[in-house]
Amino acid sequence: MYIQQDELKDGQIEQLIKAHLEEMKKHSPPESIHALPLDDLKKQDVTVWSARDGEALLGCGAIKELSSEHGEIKSMRTAAAHMRKGVAKHLLTHLLQEAKQRGYKRVSLETGAIAFFEPARKLYESFGFQYCPPFGSYQEDPNSLFMTKEL
């Protein structure tokens, strides 16, 4: 497995992001879906990385810069065929290393509050993320939980 910055020109990653958004629609009401669509992932304040094995896309993750000291983890997604193989752990490790290199003092994220999102929450907890109030432009939402990690 290797991780590289992704230009989002590969049809594979477009399909993975579409699958991510469709899954969010199944588990969250529209006003509680905070996953970024592909066009927003191409904005200047967002950097996306993909995990691959040869040409096969295993997963992706992104950092959105909120300020010079604060980044947000976005679009963490593992391809269905590669779930429970450590892809998300490797991606999150990479994103945290990148955040440190950028000089961020903390990184935060939003995730779902229902049982479906429990594996993601457990992953973030295992990396030392703590629950926190909404950050940035987020508002309190019974379907969302917010987490942060000091670097």
Side-chain angles (χ1 to χ4, degrees):
M1 176 188 320
Y2 63 95
I3 297 174
Q4 66 183 15
Q5 190 170 332
D6 203 293
E7 299 297 320
L8 301 172
K9 295 180 180 176
D10 181 338
Q12 288 180 325
I13 201 154
E14 183 175 325
Q15 290 302 316
L16 186 60
I17 295 301
K18 283 182 182 178
H20 180 61
L21 291 168
E22 288 302 313
E23 185 123 64
M24 296 304 100
K25 289 177 186 175
K26 290 180 188 174
H27 299 285
S28 300
E31 66 275 9
S32 296
I33 296 174
H34 303 290
L36 294 177
L38 194 63
D39 286 345
D40 286 353
L41 289 171
K42 293 178 180 180
K43 291 185 176 176
Q44 193 169 9
D45 61 346
V46 179
T47 308
V48 179
W49 289 269
S50 58
R52 296 180 182 267
D53 181 5
E55 294 297 314
L57 178 64
L58 308 179
C60 65
I63 296 176
K64 179 178 181 179
E65 185 165 288
L66 300 177
S67 75
S68 62
E69 296 182 346
H70 189 192
E72 180 181 3
I73 304 291
K74 298 294 291 181
S75 300
M76 284 285 296
R77 180 69 182 190
T78 301
H82 302 287
M83 295 276 190
R84 310 291 182 256
K85 296 180 182 177
V87 175
K89 184 176 179 179
H90 286 290
L91 276 164
L92 188 54
T93 298
H94 181 84
L95 295 176
L96 292 173
Q97 289 171 346
E98 178 66 27
K100 286 179 186 176
Q101 288 176 350
R102 291 180 177 196
Y104 295 161
K105 294 195 182 337
R106 74 179 171 126
V107 290
S108 302
L109 60 91
E110 177 276 338
T111 190
I114 65 170
F116 174 80
F117 297 99
E118 186 174 350
R121 292 192 306 266
K122 288 194 178 298
L123 172 70
Y124 299 132
E125 288 169 359
S126 76
F127 274 75
F129 280 83
Q130 305 280 320
Y131 292 94
C132 66
F135 59 91
S137 62
Y138 290 107
Q139 303 293 318
E140 285 289 344
D141 179 343
N143 298 295
S144 292
L145 292 173
F146 305 93
M147 302 178 85
T148 195
K149 177 179 174 64
E150 301 292 326
L151 300 177

